[in-house]
Each structure stands twice: as C-alpha cells, then as structure tokens.
Amino acid sequence: GFLLFTFACIHLFYSNMRGMMTFNIDDGYLDGILRGFRAGLLTNADYANLTQCENLEDMKLHLAGTSYGDFLADETGQLLTATIAEKCTQKLVKEFKHMRVNSVAPLSTFLEYITYGYMIDNIMLLVTGAIHERDTTELLTKCHPLGFFEAMPSLCAGTTSVSELYKSVIVDTPLAPYFRNCLSKEDLSEMRGSAELEKVRNTLYKAYLEDFYRYCTKELGGVTGEVMGGLLEWEADRRAMTITLNSMGTELSLDDREKLYPNFGKLYPETTYALAKLDKVDRGSMEGQSDMDPVKDLMIYHEEYANLFAGVQDDRGGVSTGGKTLEDMFFEYEVKICKFAFEQHFQYGAFYAYVKLKEQEIRNIVWIAECIAQNERDKINDFVPIFGF
C-alpha cells in the first residue's frame, strides 16, 4: 500500500513538472496576452470616476482613459446605454477571437467549449422566434457574437418545426450530440410553449456542462482539471439552485426538475436529490416564509453557499429592503472564485475565468450607465466590483 502511494505521488509530481516545462511551448504567448487583458480590467478608481459622471458623454471620456480606449470614438450622435453595452461586448469578443485564432490544441478545443453555452442561448432565442413567428432576422442582431456559427442565418429561413431545424442546421453544429443524446423526436416536436422551451434549454445546458466537466477533469486533467473542476462545479450548483427556485409552483414535475440538474458539483447527489423534492411554500401554514427558505435550509451543510443566502435581504410583505438579491450574491461569489483562477499558472482555467470577469465588468458599466441615464443616483453603487473596495 505504501509503495503504491509513493508511486502515485511520484507520478503526480512528474506529471505536473511535465506540464510546467512544456506549457509555454504552445500556450505561453496566449497566457501572457491573457494576463495582460486581466491587468486591463477596471480598477476601483475607474469605477469611482464612472459613478461621478454627470452624463453618458462623461462616461465615454473616462472610459477612453482605460483599457477600453477609443472604442466609442465612432459614436457621434446621442450615446445610448445599449450602444455602450454592444461596444463593450464587441471588445470582449475581439480579445477572445484573438486568443482563439492563435491557439493550438488542446487550448483551441478548450476555447471552443467556452462558446458552446452562448450557442445554446442563440439557438434557443432563434427557435423561440421561429415558433412565435417573430422576425428572426432581427433576432440575429440580439444573438451573442461568441455563440455565432456559420449556419445560424439558416435558422431564420422561415422554418417553424424544430425537428426540421435540427435536421437541416443543428445537426452540423458542435451542439448536435447534446440534442441527439438528451432530446427525443417527441421532445423536439412538442417544443411550443415557453415552459417546454425553457426545459429544453436547461436540458441542453446540463449535457453541455457535463461534457465540458468531463473534458477538463478527465482529458485535460492536471492543474486545469483542478481549477476548472471548481469553476464548473459552482456553475452546476448555481443552476441547480436557480432551477429549483424558478420551478416552484410551476407545471414542471418534480421528477422532470431532477433531470435538469447536472450530475456533478458540491450539491450532487445528496442535496440535489433533496432540492428535487421541494415544492412551493404554503403561505397559510408557514407564515413569513418565502420560497427561498427551504432551499436556504438545505445549504446548512455547504457553508459557502449558506453564506450567500445569509447575505440576501429579500422583499417581505411587498416592502423592498434595498439590500442584495440572491443573484447579486451569486455574481459576487463567481467573481471571487474567478479571481482565484489566476493564482495558479500553467493551466487553462484562467481563460474561462477572464471571460466571466469581463462579462461582470460589462454588467457593471451598463448598470452605472443606466443609473446615470435614468437619474437614479441612489442606486449607482449597486454593482459587483471585480476588485473589492
């Protein structure tokens, strides 16, 4: 037994050493670029300056002095919050595409996996538009650029049958295995109402997360497997909690709800099994309780998650407490663990973490811009700082 343990330790040591010695051959350049991008994230001083702006033109001026540079230079008319959001996203996409175009396997495959989540959102957006006979060409402009693929315009060809869309378009995308393995022909043909569409979205996302987790922990392994394992376990747990809270009191059966939970994470399997059995709180018999309380009670064995619920100030009795929502707490926790991903070197988790941090930064900028545009100064500091004050 001791010899086996010693051999395993030596094998692990040399595996990590091999990773450290060879990482920079293919990925050193992009790792340096990535850490340069990370250094360009807005600082506390930048946020302080933005919150002092009188109007959106002032914001444009202050952002020009950051890593965003003159990204709004072409906007000569009245500046809108939607324009700022679009241009910020374009900058993130440009940075991501630069890294993807200069990457080689396995990093290139890893970066492709990051885009699959956006692909799912884009496909579901267009499918919803097709079913409800909306102008899907207009919906194309609302799709996230990171999830764009060549066959996407074909989804706007006027087809209203999801089965036909799968046969003609989706089958040639990287998402085809997720559709094929977790959705039957009956599921595709019954996709009509918003509840069915949301169920399909969550089913696809479950399959995607499980596949991404397998790729990171089994195929890549090493430090990447360790870092990404933690990040994806959080994503799986967050989805389990969110699905539970959003499905209470709806038509979604408890058995179907359980099928939407990813089969990994800190909550899996004991807590997810318990989450699947929760139903809507009976207001008559449980005075003063909210639907969040049963979920909160199950987090007693998961201290970090229990702290997230403890930080929530919900609106009881229709009176807003002005405190943080559960979504705010989730965003704060995600920022915290994504920052930790940069503490370790010679691994790919930092690429995933950077995209998440940049998305939070964009949400912050848009929030500040909206508060300025609508003159809601009392709420302007209710964003999630990347680097704590």
Side-chain angles (χ1 to χ4, degrees):
F2 176 75
L3 288 175
L4 283 174
F5 175 74
T6 305
F7 177 77
C9 290
I10 293 172
H11 176 72
L12 179 62
F13 172 76
Y14 279 107
S15 295
N16 289 334
M17 283 296 293
R18 188 167 62 249
M20 286 188 279
M21 289 187 291
T22 60
F23 181 87
N24 286 340
I25 296 173
D26 290 328
D27 307 317
Y29 164 72
L30 288 181
D31 190 60
I33 291 289
L34 174 73
R35 292 176 189 276
F37 287 156
R38 191 258 187 199
L41 290 172
L42 296 183
T43 63
N44 294 343
D46 291 326
Y47 282 120
N49 288 333
L50 290 176
T51 56
Q52 297 300 315
C53 291
E54 292 295 324
N55 51 54
L56 297 187
E57 287 298 328
D58 283 352
M59 276 195 74
K60 175 181 175 180
L61 187 63
H62 279 293
L63 286 170
T66 69
S67 61
Y68 283 91
D70 59 353
F71 77 122
L72 290 171
D74 296 335
E75 301 301 319
T76 54
Q78 183 182 6
L79 193 57
L80 302 174
T81 306
T83 305
I84 295 176
E86 181 186 350
K87 293 294 183 180
C88 287
T89 302
Q90 285 178 5
K91 185 177 185 298
L92 166 60
V93 171
K94 182 180 178 182
E95 292 171 350
F96 185 86
K97 285 184 175 178
H98 174 77
M99 293 188 290
R100 187 168 61 177
V101 124
N102 286 284
S103 63
V104 296
L107 177 57
S108 57
T109 305
F110 178 86
L111 295 177
E112 287 294 326
Y113 263 102
I114 292 177
T115 66
Y116 293 171
Y118 301 99
M119 283 188 190
I120 292 173
D121 289 337
N122 287 351
I123 285 179
M124 295 310 299
L125 176 65
L126 294 175
V127 164
T128 303
I131 288 175
H132 294 94
E133 299 181 359
R134 291 182 59 186
D135 182 5
T136 46
T137 307
E138 179 188 342
L139 289 177
L140 265 180
T141 62
K142 297 181 180 180
C143 289
H144 199 291
L146 283 182
F148 199 89
F149 53 92
E150 289 183 8
M152 261 179 61
S154 302
L155 285 167
C156 304
T159 309
T160 57
S161 166
V162 183
S163 298
E164 288 180 31
L165 287 174
Y166 172 74
K167 291 175 186 175
S168 60
V169 180
I170 300 172
V171 71
D172 293 323
T173 71
L175 303 182
Y178 306 148
F179 273 88
R180 187 167 56 247
N181 295 339
C182 61
L183 295 171
S184 65
K185 290 181 179 179
E186 291 75 20
D187 290 328
L188 292 175
S189 61
E190 290 174 4
M191 279 173 59
R192 290 292 171 187
S194 57
E196 289 86 357
L197 290 168
E198 195 59 30
K199 180 181 173 183
V200 169
R201 180 202 300 275
N202 285 316
T203 304
L204 291 173
Y205 224 97
K206 163 187 159 75
Y208 156 62
L209 283 177
E210 290 172 356
D211 188 31
F212 197 8
Y213 185 77
R214 175 202 58 77
Y215 177 73
C216 292
T217 57
K218 303 295 184 186
E219 291 193 35
L220 294 180
V223 185
T224 296
E226 177 187 336
V227 173
M228 279 304 297
L231 291 172
L232 291 176
E233 282 171 6
W234 156 246
E235 180 63 21
D237 292 343
R238 183 187 67 81
R239 294 191 72 82
M241 290 183 277
T242 303
I243 288 169
T244 303
L245 290 167
N246 291 344
S247 62
M248 283 183 174
T250 66
E251 296 176 0
L252 185 70
S253 70
L254 300 184
D255 287 340
D256 284 344
R257 181 202 293 169
E258 188 171 15
K259 293 176 184 175
L260 300 179
Y261 298 151
N263 62 5
F264 67 95
K266 293 182 175 66
L267 300 183
Y268 179 83
E270 290 88 354
T271 308
T272 51
Y273 177 80
L275 285 172
K277 306 306 175 189
L278 293 181
D279 210 345
K280 194 172 180 66
V281 169
D282 184 353
R283 302 293 181 196
S285 61
M286 306 186 74
E287 189 69 30
Q289 276 218 335
S290 72
D291 289 338
M292 192 186 299
D293 290 326
V295 179
K296 179 180 178 180
D297 293 341
L298 289 176
M299 297 302 127
I300 189 173
Y301 302 111
H302 307 278
E303 184 179 358
E304 288 187 319
Y305 297 166
N307 291 338
L308 298 183
F309 281 88
V312 175
Q313 295 178 337
D314 56 353
D315 301 342
R316 297 283 175 92
V319 179
S320 175
T321 59
K324 293 178 180 177
T325 65
L326 185 60
E327 186 179 38
D328 292 334
M329 299 302 296
F330 282 175
F331 282 143
E332 285 186 10
Y333 184 75
E334 184 172 72
V335 165
K336 173 185 169 184
I337 61 174
C338 283
K339 285 193 294 185
F340 283 145
F342 283 88
E343 298 297 318
Q344 298 205 54
H345 296 266
F346 313 112
Q347 47 91 16
Y348 297 158
F351 290 89
Y352 175 89
Y354 175 72
V355 173
K356 294 294 183 182
L357 290 176
K358 195 67 176 178
E359 285 186 327
Q360 183 58 55
E361 181 177 275
I362 294 170
R363 282 193 289 268
N364 291 344
I365 292 172
V366 171
W367 175 265
I368 294 171
E370 286 283 8
C371 288
I372 292 172
Q374 299 177 24
N375 198 26
E376 294 279 356
R377 290 280 169 179
D378 56 323
K379 299 179 181 178
I380 201 166
N381 289 305
D382 294 349
F383 57 88
V384 181
I386 307 297
F387 305 104
F389 288 105

